[in-house]
Amino acid sequence: MAALLVLAAGAEFLLVAVGAFAAAVLYYRLVLALDYPDTPKYILESLLIATLQLLVSVGLRQYSRIQTQPRHIFLWSGVSAVFFVFSFFISTIFLLKISDGYSRATVMAQAASVIVMVLFARAICFSLLQPAIASGLIDARRVILIGEPSHCLDFSARVSATGIRTIRSFELPTFRKGSSASGHSGAVEVLSHVRELIAECRPLRADDIVILTSESDVRAALALAGALSELPVDVHVVPVGAIDLMAVSRITQFGNMVTMRIFQSPLTPFHRAIKRAFDIAAAIAGLVIISPLFVILPLAIKLDSPGRCYFVRPGTATTTRLFAC
């Protein structure tokens, strides 16, 4: 899986670089009808944009979440990365006072081209990897389960659909109460056989360790998680009685705590106002852009056939005269 993600990231890097350079070439030759100036500079610019896109995607771990995210979130994360990259790029050339050599229209064309390339690359990547992960052809992650055997079997069956493969399962070790583990009464003390468990987990090279615990074993699970923290893996604690609840909830920050949010309230008045303002601005911009068509189309119809021009509203039988001619 890691090798495939590296290949996908490399393909996106090449597509972004080619798209950014091609956008500049097409703008100068087709729109301005000029020879393309200073090719080496724009090649370096395209490579810089592609490098920034790669760094942002890797830094935010966007590709590693492909097995847990739906398609639209995976694609939207790529678009968000493009906006961040071009915001940083434009700010940098402005602060360094080297923006005179860059056309604003060229940068806008490059941004649009890069967005298209990122969406194309990620759509292809998702379409190829996600079915392979779901069918078990690709192991997205290797996991060790610790808990009751029945709980481990049920959890393994649930996560196998996302390409997570269980490589080993162990029973939850026993702990004894004491005060030496953390310096206060009621703590749990890690026994020697926990060290043996850690030694057995180390050569398995798992990506994650999941501790499946019941309500009565939460304290022991937390102590075991602390002991397992010396391994280079992600350690998770899952209450077995709340697996169904966690499947339909989202972890959110609530004050100084973390909660599981089941339902989200509708938009607040402030967010509704923001959405309404965006809708109006986008509608006005769209009308301005396509307004020439309202003149060109009736004229074209009139030249092609006699009679008046009408506009038919979709889904109705009502016709409205659009242009009297």
Side-chain angles (χ1 to χ4, degrees):
M1 183 65 183
L4 292 175
L5 292 182
V6 170
L7 181 62
E12 182 177 303
F13 173 86
L14 293 177
L15 286 175
V16 168
V18 171
F21 182 77
V25 171
L26 292 176
Y27 174 76
Y28 273 94
R29 292 190 176 179
L30 299 182
V31 178
L32 300 181
L34 299 174
D35 292 334
Y36 188 65
D38 203 356
T39 299
K41 182 186 71 174
Y42 280 93
I43 290 178
L44 293 177
E45 177 197 5
S46 301
L47 292 176
L48 175 60
I49 292 173
T51 302
L52 291 175
Q53 177 70 20
L54 178 63
L55 292 177
V56 171
S57 300
V58 173
L60 297 179
R61 303 179 65 181
Q62 293 180 353
Y63 272 96
S64 62
R65 296 191 179 101
I66 189 173
Q67 72 270 22
T68 60
Q69 288 183 338
R71 183 194 302 268
H72 69 279
I73 294 180
F74 183 60
L75 296 180
W76 177 248
S77 65
V79 176
S80 302
V82 173
F83 279 108
F84 178 82
V85 166
F86 274 89
S87 298
F88 177 80
F89 176 74
I90 294 172
S91 301
T92 300
I93 63 177
F94 175 78
L95 292 175
L96 296 178
K97 296 183 178 181
I98 56 175
S99 57
D100 293 340
Y102 295 93
S103 168
R104 288 173 294 180
T106 303
V107 174
M108 294 175 61
Q110 287 179 320
S113 176
V114 169
I115 289 176
V116 172
M117 289 299 181
V118 169
L119 291 176
F120 174 77
R122 298 201 174 198
I124 295 298
C125 175
F126 192 94
S127 299
L128 294 177
L129 290 183
Q130 195 65 24
I133 291 173
S135 62
L137 296 178
I138 299 176
D139 292 333
R141 300 186 74 84
R142 294 157 49 89
V143 63
I144 296 174
L145 301 180
I146 301 177
E148 294 292 331
S150 59
H151 297 158
C152 292
L153 287 175
D154 180 64
F155 188 86
S156 178
R158 283 174 174 264
V159 300
S160 62
T162 59
I164 299 177
R165 184 167 67 92
T166 303
I167 58 175
R168 186 76 181 273
S169 61
F170 300 92
E171 292 193 14
L172 186 66
T174 57
F175 290 77
R176 66 168 178 264
K177 293 185 178 180
S179 58
S180 60
S182 59
H184 62 275
S185 179
V188 292
E189 184 178 353
V190 180
L191 300 180
S192 59
H193 61 271
V194 176
R195 308 303 308 174
E196 298 176 2
L197 172 62
I198 296 175
E200 291 186 42
C201 291
R202 193 180 298 276
L204 297 177
R205 298 184 180 276
D207 299 304
D208 302 86
I209 296 179
V210 178
I211 304 172
L212 303 172
T213 177
S214 60
E215 183 178 354
S216 59
D217 295 327
V218 171
R219 189 182 298 275
L222 293 177
L224 178 60
L228 293 171
S229 62
E230 65 181 70
L231 296 176
V233 298
D234 293 341
V235 181
H236 311 261
V237 176
V238 178
V240 293
I243 291 179
D244 293 331
L245 177 64
M246 297 175 67
V248 296
S249 62
R250 182 183 296 272
I251 304 299
T252 60
Q253 190 76 26
F254 187 77
N256 59 353
M257 297 182 296
V258 175
T259 62
M260 292 186 296
R261 185 180 64 199
I262 307 300
F263 297 106
Q264 186 174 3
S265 62
L267 294 177
T268 63
F270 174 76
H271 289 92
R272 285 200 300 269
I274 294 296
K275 182 179 182 302
R276 182 61 177 168
F278 174 80
D279 292 342
I280 294 174
I284 293 175
L287 287 174
V288 171
I289 293 173
I290 66 174
S291 58
L293 294 178
F294 290 106
V295 178
I296 296 174
L297 290 178
L299 291 176
I301 294 173
K302 181 62 178 177
L303 294 175
D304 182 71
S305 59
R308 295 180 175 179
C309 304
Y310 292 92
F311 169 74
V312 180
R313 290 184 293 178
T316 68
T318 304
T319 58
T320 303
R321 190 187 307 176
L322 175 65
F323 192 83
C325 53

